């Protein structure tokens, strides 16, 4: 993940026809823009579309009209037939009746148009693999957050990102409505010529329409469209998955929630943005209540075998090195003996995942948006998938998308920073089993044994006490405190 910040005066979201044409128009005016494209390459898929007089005027203004005309002859008119009988029902010439001037109509291949627009842009205008996930206002600027962690500041934001536009959503536009008409379309090449002439041939039937439109002498764009007999249920027809319970985040809390549900006979799906289990991190101090929870979900005993109980916490002064307090961690409480052990995060994740049915965790599934849809939640992923769920559980950490959707406040930095790590000693660390904690002015550090050979260590401090910014830490500063 990148944490890069960058600035661009004008940002266009989407490197489709609209985005590329807008960027080229700005370029012709001497204005540089940055086009963000979620794909890793220029998406030239798609067939063709009919471009009329006004479109060619716009292409001329961009300086690409003549080169495209050379590859696409004019379409002179439209011929319609009844599909069942094969009888011609209408024939229309593409001529303005009021002026007698012929309309300029051509069927333009999308691939050629996209490549022509892209080739006219300065190098570096299009930034590929740049999925926009959220937008914020910051004074007169907009902050664009990308899926790779990059933040882009811009004065002007232009949304050309299609039917599921993130920009339109941020602006509060209504979601695009499904009008029950579906279509299949394609592009066919005839080496010996297609023989359809220079007319748009159209067939009509009960609830459907099909046709062919010549692009040149050897290729045609074809389509078949129809109105679905079942209205009001586009999501089900398009085959979007339905889940009873979705959990966002395959960390400790997400996996624990899934195992607990599994023990109750409830199946869940965990959405994890990474492409594999993220086993980074060090040890976690697990106290009595945590072990009771682990007992409930059936993983405690295997973890107890790996990690010894910590008997005491020893507090000492960083200046004198003398102990200042000793607390027993085995003192019997009202509900029973305390149990404190330090567990390696990787081992805990592994123990939890092992208890889940195969396929519970869905990797490479980054959540970028959430919507209400009646009693369901629609969860939008970065790959374009949409999942529907009855229950949504957010376990996605400090920058939680679920928490943001719920309207929770953004976490605030309390001024305390921390360095932590894990050290392994092949011949044993010799530090015993106690948690050793040292305090100084505005700082604390400590070591906590995990087992006989490894220890978790940490150093926390409040930079403002030392006249430092929250982002500044130098080796000399650490050495001085230690």
């Amino acid at each position: 993940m990148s944490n890069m910040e960058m600035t661009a005066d004008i940002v266009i979201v989407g490197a489709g026809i609209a985005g590329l044409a807008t960027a080229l128009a700005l370029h012709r005016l001497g204005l540089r823009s940055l086009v963000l494209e979620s794909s890793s390459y220029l998406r030239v898929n798609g067939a063709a579309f009919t471009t009329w007089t006004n479109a060619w005027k716009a292409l001329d203004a961009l300086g690409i009209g003549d080169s495209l005309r050379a590859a696409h002859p004019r379409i002179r008119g439209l011929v319609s037939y009844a599909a069942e009988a094969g009888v011609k029902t209408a024939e229309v010439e593409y001529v303005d009746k009021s002026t007698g001037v012929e309309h300029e109509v051509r069927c333009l291949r999308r691939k050629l148009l996209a490549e022509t627009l892209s080739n006219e842009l300065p190098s570096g205008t299009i930034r590929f693999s740049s999925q926009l996930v959220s937008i914020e206002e910051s004074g007169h600027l907009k902050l664009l957050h990308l899926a790779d962690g990059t933040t882009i500041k811009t004065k002007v934001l232009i949304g050309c990102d299609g039917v599921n536009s993130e920009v339109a959503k941020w602006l509060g536009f209504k979601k695009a409505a499904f009008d029950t008409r579906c279509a299949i379309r394609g592009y066919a090449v005839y080496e010996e010529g297609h023989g359809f002439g220079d007319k748009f041939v159209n067939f009509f039937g009960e609830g459907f329409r099909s046709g062919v439109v010549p692009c040149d002498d050897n290729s045609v764009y074809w389509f078949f469209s129809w109105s679905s007999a079942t209205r009001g249920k586009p999501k089900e027809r398009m085959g979007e998955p339905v889940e009873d319970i979705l959990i966002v985040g395959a960390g400790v809390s997400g996996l624990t929630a899934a195992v607990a549900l599994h023990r109750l006979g409830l199946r869940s799906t965990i959405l994890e943005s990474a492409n594999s289990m993220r086993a980074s991190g060090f040890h976690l101090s697990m106290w009595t209540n945590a072990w009771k929870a682990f007992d409930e979900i059936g993983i405690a005993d295997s973890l107890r075998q790996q990690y010894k109980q910590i008997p005491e916490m020893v507090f000492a002064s960083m200046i004198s090195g003398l102990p200042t307090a000793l607390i027993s961690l085995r003192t019997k409480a009202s509900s029973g003996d305390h149990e404190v052990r330090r567990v390696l995060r990787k081992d805990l994740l592994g123990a939890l995942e092992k208890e889940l049915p195969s396929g519970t965790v869905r990797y490479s599934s980054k959540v970028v948006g959430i919507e209400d849809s009646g009693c369901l939640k629609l969860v939008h992923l970065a790959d374009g998938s949409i999942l529907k769920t009855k229950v949504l559980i957010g376990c996605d950490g400090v920058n939680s998308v679920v928490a943001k959707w719920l309207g929770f406040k953004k976490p605030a930095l309390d001024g305390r920073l921390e360095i932590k790590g894990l050290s392994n000693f092949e011949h044993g660390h010799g530090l015993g089993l106690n948690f050793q904690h040292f305090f100084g002015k505005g700082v604390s550090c400590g070591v906590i044994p995990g087992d006989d050979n490894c220890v978790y260590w940490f150093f926390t401090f409040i930079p403002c006490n030392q006249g430092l910014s929250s982002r500044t830490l130098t080796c000399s500063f650490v050495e001085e405190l230690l």
Side-chain angles (χ1 to χ4, degrees), residues 165-234:
S165 167
E166 195 69 31
V167 178
K169 180 180 175 183
W170 174 72
L171 287 170
F173 290 0
K174 290 182 179 180
K175 186 178 179 182
F178 180 65
D179 69 354
T180 76
R181 179 163 289 277
C182 300
I184 304 170
R185 50 177 69 102
Y187 180 75
V189 177
Y190 299 80
E191 292 183 2
E192 305 298 327
H194 52 66
F196 289 110
D198 56 4
K199 298 286 181 72
F200 176 3
V201 182
N202 214 353
F203 298 88
F204 287 86
E206 185 176 355
F208 76 88
R209 177 184 169 201
S210 63
V212 291
V213 190
C215 293
D216 55 32
D217 293 337
N218 298 92
S219 63
V220 296
Y221 161 64
W222 60 266
F223 66 90
F224 180 91
S225 69
W226 74 99
S227 292
S228 172
T230 306
R231 299 180 64 90
K233 295 184 178 180

Side-chain angles (χ1 to χ4, degrees), residues 119-366:
N119 291 338
E120 292 292 315
L121 292 171
S123 176
T125 298
I126 306 174
R127 188 182 194 270
F128 293 105
S129 300
S130 298
Q131 170 78 40
L132 176 65
V133 296
S134 65
I135 306 168
E136 288 184 87
E137 289 199 61
S138 178
H140 65 283
L141 298 177
K142 305 294 178 285
L143 304 183
L144 311 181
H145 300 280
L146 307 188
D148 66 0
T150 300
T151 299
I152 301 175
K153 298 179 181 179
T154 186
K155 298 175 184 176
V156 178
L157 175 62
I158 302 173
C160 299
D161 45 341
V163 68
N164 293 313
S165 167
E166 195 69 31
V167 178
K169 180 180 175 183
W170 174 72
L171 287 170
F173 290 0
K174 290 182 179 180
K175 186 178 179 182
F178 180 65
D179 69 354
T180 76
R181 179 163 289 277
C182 300
I184 304 170
R185 50 177 69 102
Y187 180 75
V189 177
Y190 299 80
E191 292 183 2
E192 305 298 327
H194 52 66
F196 289 110
D198 56 4
K199 298 286 181 72
F200 176 3
V201 182
N202 214 353
F203 298 88
F204 287 86
E206 185 176 355
F208 76 88
R209 177 184 169 201
S210 63
V212 291
V213 190
C215 293
D216 55 32
D217 293 337
N218 298 92
S219 63
V220 296
Y221 161 64
W222 60 266
F223 66 90
F224 180 91
S225 69
W226 74 99
S227 292
S228 172
T230 306
R231 299 180 64 90
K233 295 184 178 180
K235 297 295 182 183
E236 285 79 354
R237 287 196 302 277
M238 289 187 285
E240 291 174 352
V242 180
E243 304 286 347
D244 285 336
I245 304 172
L246 278 182
I247 300 170
V248 183
V252 173
S253 57
L255 292 172
T256 301
V259 174
L261 291 167
H262 175 58
R263 297 294 187 225
L264 295 173
L266 299 172
R267 179 67 186 261
S268 63
T269 297
I270 304 176
L271 303 178
E272 170 55 42
S273 60
N275 59 13
S276 61
M277 183 63 69
R278 288 194 279 195
S280 54
F282 305 106
H283 279 89
L284 301 170
S285 291
M286 312 308 297
W287 287 65
T288 310
N289 281 344
W291 289 102
K292 289 180 180 179
F294 290 161
D295 280 325
E296 286 292 324
I297 61 176
I299 65 169
D301 287 341
S302 63
L303 292 171
R304 285 188 180 103
Q305 293 174 11
Q306 299 178 66
Y307 297 101
K308 296 181 179 180
Q309 191 163 344
I310 299 173
E312 295 175 328
M313 288 183 67
V314 180
F315 295 89
S317 167
M318 292 183 66
I319 298 175
S320 66
L322 297 176
T324 58
L326 180 65
I327 299 176
S328 173
L329 299 180
R330 288 182 174 172
T331 302
K332 190 167 185 176
S334 58
S335 59
D337 290 345
H338 287 306
E339 182 176 6
V340 184
R341 302 172 194 267
R342 195 75 184 175
V343 177
L344 187 63
R345 187 176 183 276
K346 178 181 178 182
D347 291 343
L348 177 55
L349 292 173
L352 290 165
E353 187 178 26
K354 184 179 178 182
E355 297 297 317
L356 291 171
S358 176
T360 297
V361 184
R362 174 174 166 169
Y363 293 104
S364 300
S365 299
K366 182 174 182 62

Side-chain angles (χ1 to χ4, degrees), residues 1-6 127 146-151 399 471:
M1 293 288 287
S2 166
N3 290 307
M4 182 174 65
E5 290 188 359
M6 55 187 297
R127 188 182 194 270
L146 307 188
D148 66 0
T150 300
T151 299
N399 293 312
R471 296 185 178 182

